Amino acid sequence: MPQMKPLEYQMSQRVRRQMVKLRLVKHYALLFVCSTIAGCAVGPDYQRPELPESKGYGTSEEVSAKSTRSGGQSGDDQRLAVGANIRNDWWTLFRSTTLNTLIEQAFAASPTIDIAQRALNVAQQNVYAQQGYFFPTVQANYNPTRTKLPGNLGGNSPGVQGDGNYIGAYQGTPANQGGTAPYNGSTVFNFHTAQLTVGFTPDIFGLNRRAVESLQAQTDAQKFQLQAAYITLASNVVAAAVQDGMLRKQIAITKEMIEANETAVALVKRQQKSGYASQLDFSIQESALGQVKQLLPPLQKQFEQNRDLLRVLAGRTQDQEVPAFDLTSFKLPEELPLTLPSQLVEQRPDIQAAEQLLRAANAQIGVARAARFPQLSLSGSLGGTASNFNQMFWAGSGGFFELALNVAQPIFAGGTLMYREYAATEAQKQAAAQYRLTVITAFQNVADTLHAIKSDAQAMTIVNDLTAAAKKTYELSGRQHAGGYLDRLALINAQQTYRQALLNEAQIQASRLGNTAALFQALGGGWWNKPTGQ
C-alpha cells in the first residue's frame, strides 16, 4: 500500500486546489458580469406621451376674477390664488380641532391605509426578488447513499471478478472501498458525494433589467396610490364630518318646524270649534304638518348612516363612538389654491400612478423582446465523491469539478414569443390611453369643483338674502302679533318660512365646505409638501 501523507499536508493541498478552481469559476462569472453591464437592454426606453395642451380649466371667470364672493353671515369670501402651494395638512384650514384629531386617528386606524401600505410592501419585495437574478446562485449539495448489489451481476458488480469471485474491498476502485464482505455473493457499499454549484445567467439583452424596471414602476405606482389613499380618506372624513354637522342642524330645525305646526294645528282646531275656522282650514294645516313631519325620517336615516360611515372611515366598529360636529364650528378657508394644468400633471397622485403603470407596461415590451434573443447561462461545480466520507477530496481520486456554458436560441415556438411581444406592445398602448384619460379626467375634476364652488357662492348670496328677508318678515309679524294686528297662525307661518330658509342655508353652507375639501383633493392634496420621514 502507498505511504499516506500527513493529514495536515493533505488538507492544505486539497484546500489549495479548491481555491484555484473557485478562482476559475469566479473569473468566468466576472467575465459574464462585465459583458452584462456592457450589454444594452432591448426594447423601447420610456418616454412620456404627448398630452393635450391645456392652459386652464375652461373656467376663465374664476381665474380672472380670482375670487368667489358670497357675503352674508355664513361665509365668507373665498379668493382663488392661482399657482399657490397646497398644504399637506389642508384640512386644518377648516379650523376644527375635533376634525383634525379624527383625521389623524383615521390615518392610524383605517384599513384603507393599511391595505395600500401592504400593497406597496408587496410590490417592493417583488422588486428585491427580481433583483436577485443579477447575482450568481450558489447551492451546496451532499448526497450519501448505501447500496447493495446482487451477486449475480458478474463482472458488473464492484469488487467482484468476472467469474463472480469476490475480491477484497481495498483491491477495487476508490468508489467501492468501504464495501462490506459479500453475503451469498452480494456486495454492500456506501457512497458519499458533496458538491458546490455556482450558476449565473448573464443579462446580456436586458431581460432582467427590463423586468426590474417594470416591477419598480409598479412599486412607484403603489407609492402614489398610497398617497391618494391618504388624500381620499382625509377628504371623505371632512365630507362626512360636515354632513354630520349639517344633518344635526337640519334635524333640529325640522323638529322646531314640527312643533310649530303642531301648535298651529291645535290653534286652528280651537278656532274651528269657536266658528272662526272652517274644516278646510283645519285640513290645510294638518296637511302642512304632515308635509313637515315627512322631512324628519329621511334626515334621521341619513344622519345614522353618515355616523356609520364616519366610524368606518375612522377604522372603528359600529358599537364605538365618533365625535359629533357642529356646522358652525367649521370655517371656510379664505384662500383657495388653483394649480395650473401643467403643475397638476406632476402633482396628482392618480396621474403619477397611471404614468408609472405606463412605464411598467413599456418595460414589459423589452422583457418580451429579450426572450426572443439567445439566452446564456454559466454553471460551475466543485466537489468530491468516495465510498468513505473523509476520502471525498483526496488528490487524484475523489475530487471533481465542472464548468459549463449553455447558449440557447429560440428558433421555432409556434409564434408564442412573437405574439407575446405584440401583446406587450398593445398593453403599452392601452396604458398610454389610460394615462391620457386619467389626465383629462383630472382636468375635468378640477373644473367641475371650481364650477361648484362658484355656484355655491352665488347660491349662498341668494340664500342669505332670502334668509334675511324671511327673518325680517318673522320679526315684523311678531311685533304685529304683539300689537294685536296679526293672528297667531300668521305668525307661525312666518316663523316656518324663516326656518325653511335656515334649512336651505345649512345645506348651502355644507355644500361650500364639502366642495372646498373636494378642490384640495382634486389638486393633489399637497402630499409633496409632507415633512421628510412622514
Side-chain angles (χ1 to χ4, degrees):
M1 295 180 61
Q3 184 178 1
M4 299 292 293
K5 295 180 179 180
L7 180 60
E8 293 183 1
Y9 176 78
Q10 295 180 30
M11 293 295 296
S12 63
Q13 289 294 100
R14 287 198 294 270
V15 170
R16 187 177 295 108
R17 284 191 294 270
Q18 292 171 14
M19 292 298 296
V20 170
K21 295 171 184 176
L22 283 174
R23 288 195 189 99
L24 186 59
V25 174
K26 179 181 178 181
H27 289 161
Y28 272 104
L30 288 174
L31 174 64
F32 280 94
V33 169
C34 293
S35 64
T36 299
I37 296 175
C40 60
V42 299
D45 293 329
Y46 174 74
Q47 292 183 348
R48 177 183 288 181
E50 293 185 6
L51 297 173
E53 276 193 29
S54 177
K55 298 180 180 179
Y57 302 102
T59 54
S60 57
E61 294 180 7
E62 287 88 347
V63 176
S64 60
K66 297 185 180 179
S67 65
T68 56
R69 303 184 64 84
S70 63
Q73 59 184 4
S74 58
D76 315 341
D77 298 335
Q78 289 182 299
R79 183 176 64 86
L80 289 172
V82 180
N85 209 350
I86 304 172
R87 294 181 53 164
N88 70 292
D89 57 347
W90 52 266
W91 54 87
T92 60
L93 297 175
F94 293 99
R95 287 176 281 180
S96 170
T97 55
T98 304
L99 175 65
N100 298 342
T101 301
L102 184 62
I103 289 178
E104 293 300 325
Q105 291 173 350
F107 284 169
S110 175
T112 303
I113 300 300
D114 198 28
I115 290 170
Q117 182 63 61
R118 300 308 167 192
L120 172 59
N121 294 346
V122 169
Q124 187 63 69
Q125 299 308 315
N126 285 332
V127 172
Y128 296 152
Q130 190 67 36
Q131 288 174 339
Y133 289 109
F134 288 126
F135 300 94
T137 60
V138 181
Q139 179 177 336
N141 182 57
Y142 171 61
N143 180 30
T145 61
R146 182 173 176 82
T147 306
K148 176 183 178 180
L149 296 179
N152 59 3
L153 292 181
N156 294 330
S157 177
V160 181
Q161 294 180 345
D163 57 1
N165 295 324
Y166 173 72
I167 61 177
Y170 289 98
Q171 297 178 9
T173 64
N176 65 10
Q177 292 177 9
T180 62
Y183 180 75
N184 294 332
S186 63
T187 303
V188 178
F189 64 92
N190 300 324
F191 205 73
H192 301 268
T193 301
Q195 178 175 320
L196 182 68
T197 303
V198 179
F200 180 65
T201 302
D203 195 25
I204 300 296
F205 299 102
L207 187 151
N208 195 52
R209 275 171 286 170
R210 291 301 189 189
V212 170
E213 179 185 348
S214 178
L215 290 172
Q216 184 60 60
Q218 294 177 46
T219 301
D220 293 338
Q222 288 294 339
K223 290 180 182 177
F224 290 116
Q225 289 176 8
L226 175 60
Q227 297 300 333
Y230 277 109
I231 297 167
T232 302
L233 179 60
S235 180
N236 288 340
V237 172
V238 172
V242 169
Q243 191 80 351
D244 183 79
M246 182 198 72
L247 290 170
R248 287 178 186 276
K249 186 172 182 178
Q250 288 186 328
I251 288 173
I253 294 173
T254 302
K255 288 181 177 180
E256 292 175 358
M257 293 174 66
I258 291 174
E259 291 176 3
N261 272 272
E262 289 174 343
T263 302
V265 168
L267 180 60
V268 173
K269 189 174 183 63
R270 289 196 300 270
Q271 290 176 346
Q272 181 187 15
K273 290 181 179 180
S274 302
Y276 294 103
S278 65
Q279 179 63 37
L280 178 61
D281 295 331
F282 180 73
S283 299
I284 291 173
Q285 197 61 48
E286 274 197 321
S287 177
L289 174 61
Q291 290 176 359
V292 175
K293 279 186 173 181
Q294 73 177 1
L295 298 176
L296 189 57
L299 289 175
Q300 290 174 329
K301 181 187 75 172
Q302 292 176 40
F303 172 75
E304 294 299 338
Q305 290 178 343
N306 188 70
R307 298 289 293 174
D308 295 340
L309 175 61
L310 267 175
R311 293 185 182 97
V312 172
L313 293 174
R316 302 177 185 178
T317 59
Q318 295 305 310
D319 58 343
Q320 295 176 323
E321 281 303 318
V322 286
F325 291 92
D326 184 356
L327 190 61
T328 59
S329 66
F330 299 103
K331 304 299 180 183
L332 273 173
E334 296 177 359
E335 183 176 275
L336 296 179
L338 184 59
T339 303
L340 294 176
S342 58
Q343 294 175 294
L344 190 70
V345 172
E346 305 295 338
Q347 294 175 353
R348 283 261 302 213
D350 58 337
I351 294 178
Q352 290 293 312
E355 183 174 10
Q356 293 304 319
L357 292 178
L358 171 58
R359 186 188 296 272
N362 187 81
Q364 284 299 319
I365 299 177
V367 173
R369 188 172 299 173
R372 301 176 65 181
F373 284 80
Q375 306 299 312
L376 285 76
S377 62
L378 175 69
S379 63
S381 298
L382 178 67
T385 181
S387 57
N388 291 322
F389 182 85
N390 59 355
Q391 298 174 358
M392 283 191 292
F393 298 102
W394 273 18
S397 59
F400 68 85
F401 77 92
E402 177 185 49
L403 288 176
L405 174 66
N406 181 59
V407 180
Q409 169 62 57
I411 297 177
F412 177 74
T416 299
L417 300 180
M418 177 181 65
Y419 288 117
R420 282 179 179 169
E421 183 178 345
Y422 290 166
T425 302
E426 292 302 315
Q428 188 269 351
K429 293 178 181 178
Q430 179 188 14
Q434 183 62 50
Y435 173 61
R436 291 193 297 271
L437 177 61
T438 303
V439 171
I440 61 177
T441 301
F443 292 165
Q444 177 202 2
N445 190 200
V446 175
D448 287 347
T449 307
L450 290 174
H451 285 304
I453 289 174
K454 180 181 179 181
S455 177
D456 286 344
Q458 294 171 342
M460 194 78 251
T461 301
I462 296 172
V463 168
N464 284 339
D465 293 341
L466 290 175
T467 303
K471 183 180 181 181
K472 186 175 182 179
T473 301
Y474 173 51
E475 291 173 348
L476 290 174
S477 298
R479 288 197 291 267
Q480 289 181 352
H481 174 70
Y485 298 104
L486 193 69
D487 63 13
R488 174 73 173 167
L489 187 59
L491 176 63
I492 291 174
N493 289 335
Q495 185 186 48
Q496 294 292 79
T497 302
Y498 173 55
R499 285 173 175 155
Q500 183 62 52
L502 291 177
L503 277 177
N504 296 335
E505 186 181 62
Q507 188 168 0
I508 295 300
Q509 285 177 342
S511 181
R512 293 191 75 193
L513 291 165
N515 285 322
T516 298
L519 179 62
F520 283 107
Q521 180 184 7
L523 295 177
W527 60 270
W528 55 93
N529 289 323
K530 282 186 176 181
T532 304
Q534 288 190 9

